[in-house]
Amino acid sequence: MREPFILGGKSIAPGSRKTVDLPVSVLSDHTPVTLSAHVVHGRKPGPVMFVSAAIHGDEVIGVEIVRRLLRAGPVSRLSGTLIAVPIVNSFGFLNQSRYLPDRRDLNRCFPGHERGSLAARLAHLFMTEVVARCDVGVDLHSAAVGRDNFPQIRLTPGSARLRELGAAFGAPVTMTSKVREGSLRLEAGVAGVDVLLYEAGEGLRFDEFAARAGVSGILRVMERLGMIGHRGVPKARGLSVFCEKSYWVRAPSGGLLRTLKACGDWVETGTVLGIVSDPFGEQEAEILAEADGIVVGRTNLPVVNEGDALFHIAEPALKKHAEAAAEEGFDAHLDGQPLFDEDEII
C-alpha cells in the first residue's frame, strides 16, 4: 500500500485527490492569497509530475488546459502523483497582468527566497512545496496580449530525456530554447527536475487549437512516463517539426501592418509576410522572410512602431520534414482530440 502524499500539512490518500491551499500572503485589505494545488495521488507507485500555468498572470490558456486535464478520463487511473497548479501568479491573474503588484516578473525570480520580495517568496513557495518534490514537469505559457504563439514545445538544449519527452508530447513544433537566469526551467533543472515548456495562444484569450494540443500532449507525456495507460490517450497524428534556431522579423518603420501570413504557415526566403504603410498609403514597406521556416509567433496588432517584433520564424532542422508537415496541414493535430521570452522581444 502506498503512503499518502503530504502537501501543506494535508494528507492525500492513495487513489484519491484533493485541492490544497498553500498560504502566500495577505493583501492590504486583509484578503488572504493562496497557491492552490490539486493533487491526484494514484493507487500505484510512479513518477511525481507537476503541471503549472499562469506564472504570468495573463496566460489564461494554460488555466483552461489544466482544467481539461484534471477532467480527462486517464487521469482517474493514475500511477504515481500529479500536482496541478492552474494559477501560480494569482496576483497577476486577478489583475489580468503578466506581473506581480511590485512589477516583478515571477519567471525571473526563481528559486526565490522565503524572506525576499513578494515575487521571491512566491517563487520559493512554489519551488519548495511543488517543483522540488517532482521528477518532471510541464509549464504552460502563452504569448503576451496582442501576440500569438503557434503551439510549440521548448526544450533545454542538450537534454536527451527532454528530447524524448518532447517527442512524446507531439506538439506541431518542437524547439530548443536556452534557459534564462531566474527562470523556473533553469532552477528546476538545477534541482534535477526536467521541465517541458509549452507555448501557445495569446494572453487573456482562449484558443481551441492550443488547448487541445496542450491537453493531448500532456497525456502523451504521462503515458510515456508510465503514469497512465494508452486507453483514452489521443495519438499524435500530425508531424512535429523540430527546430534548433529561430529569428524575429522587425518593423522597418512605424505605421499600419497588414499581415499576409498566419501562425503555422511555411515561408521561404523572400516571402512577403506583411506590409507596413503610413496612414495615407503613400509609403509602404514589405516585410520579408529572411530564411525558410515556420511562422511560430506574430503580432496581432495593426499599429506598429519601428523595431517592433512582428513575425517569429523557426528554422527546421530537416526542411523536407517541415514542408511535408505544412503541406499536410497542422490542423491534423486536432484529429486526435476535439526563441525568445516575451519580455525580451517586445
Side-chain angles (χ1 to χ4, degrees):
M1 190 69 176
R2 295 190 73 192
E3 294 292 328
F5 190 85
I6 308 299
L7 181 66
K10 305 294 183 180
S11 178
I12 300 92
S16 67
R17 56 169 67 193
K18 181 181 293 185
T19 298
V20 178
D21 295 325
L22 303 171
V24 174
S25 177
V26 177
L27 298 180
S28 57
D29 66 349
H30 201 62
T31 301
V33 178
T34 61
L35 177 71
S36 299
H38 188 85
V39 180
V40 183
H41 192 44
R43 294 184 182 277
K44 298 179 180 179
V48 181
M49 174 182 181
F50 78 85
V51 178
S52 60
I55 279 183
H56 295 124
D58 61 353
E59 295 176 342
V60 298
I61 185 64
V63 183
E64 173 65 7
I65 291 172
V66 173
R67 185 193 69 80
R68 295 188 188 191
L69 175 67
L70 292 174
R71 293 170 59 89
V75 174
S76 64
R77 304 182 294 273
L78 186 72
S79 296
T81 305
L82 172 67
I83 308 176
V85 185
I87 305 171
V88 179
N89 178 4
S90 56
F91 302 95
F93 183 81
L94 291 172
N95 292 299
Q96 300 184 7
S97 168
R98 290 178 62 82
Y99 308 108
L100 283 101
D102 57 5
R103 292 295 299 169
R104 282 184 169 89
D105 182 341
L106 181 58
N107 209 26
R108 292 296 177 272
C109 296
F110 288 96
H113 195 284
E114 61 182 337
R115 294 187 300 275
S117 67
L118 177 61
R121 295 180 185 215
L122 177 55
H124 175 77
L125 177 69
F126 185 58
M127 280 292 299
T128 55
E129 292 289 340
V130 177
V131 178
R133 307 181 64 188
C134 296
D135 303 298
V136 66
V138 180
D139 190 28
L140 306 172
H141 287 264
S142 76
V145 175
R147 295 183 176 277
D148 191 20
N149 276 340
F150 193 57
Q152 59 197 256
I153 278 290
R154 297 187 181 183
L155 308 176
T156 303
S159 173
R161 185 169 188 243
L162 281 176
R163 182 73 182 265
E164 176 189 354
L165 295 178
F169 193 106
V173 174
T174 302
M175 305 170 60
T176 55
S177 173
K178 68 178 183 178
V179 292
R180 284 358 187 230
E181 192 70 28
S183 67
L184 172 62
R185 267 202 305 158
L186 174 63
E187 295 303 330
V190 171
V193 183
D194 292 315
V195 176
L196 292 172
L197 190 153
Y198 178 67
E199 282 274 4
E202 178 185 354
L204 299 180
R205 296 288 186 273
F206 275 1
D207 182 305
E208 187 63 20
F209 185 17
R212 292 188 187 183
V215 176
S216 299
I218 295 171
L219 290 174
R220 288 192 288 266
V221 170
M222 295 176 71
E223 180 187 15
R224 177 63 62 88
L225 292 171
M227 299 178 71
I228 57 177
H230 68 274
R231 182 159 58 97
V233 178
K235 299 298 181 183
R237 302 188 182 185
L239 294 171
S240 181
V241 180
F242 182 72
C243 303
E244 294 183 307
K245 57 182 179 178
S246 66
Y247 65 93
W248 275 93
V249 181
R250 296 182 177 272
S253 61
L256 302 177
L257 171 67
R258 306 195 305 276
T259 55
L260 303 180
K261 294 296 179 181
C263 283
D265 284 350
W266 169 259
V267 298
E268 297 181 341
T269 304
T271 298
V272 180
L273 305 172
I275 300 172
V276 175
S277 63
D278 65 34
F280 303 102
E282 296 175 343
Q283 297 182 350
E284 293 192 339
E286 293 184 338
I287 311 300
L288 306 179
E290 300 170 7
D292 298 355
I294 300 168
V295 180
V296 294
R298 68 166 214 183
T299 181
N300 291 330
L301 302 177
V303 180
V304 300
N305 295 306
E306 183 175 345
D308 282 356
L310 304 182
F311 295 90
H312 190 191
I313 313 296
E315 300 181 50
L318 295 174
K319 182 178 177 181
K320 291 183 178 180
H321 188 184
E323 289 176 324
E327 183 177 348
E328 176 185 290
F330 286 107
D331 285 346
H333 287 266
L334 286 175
D335 294 341
Q337 177 180 330
L339 275 123
F340 293 90
D341 185 83
E342 290 300 313
D343 300 302
E344 293 169 324
I345 62 170
I346 295 175

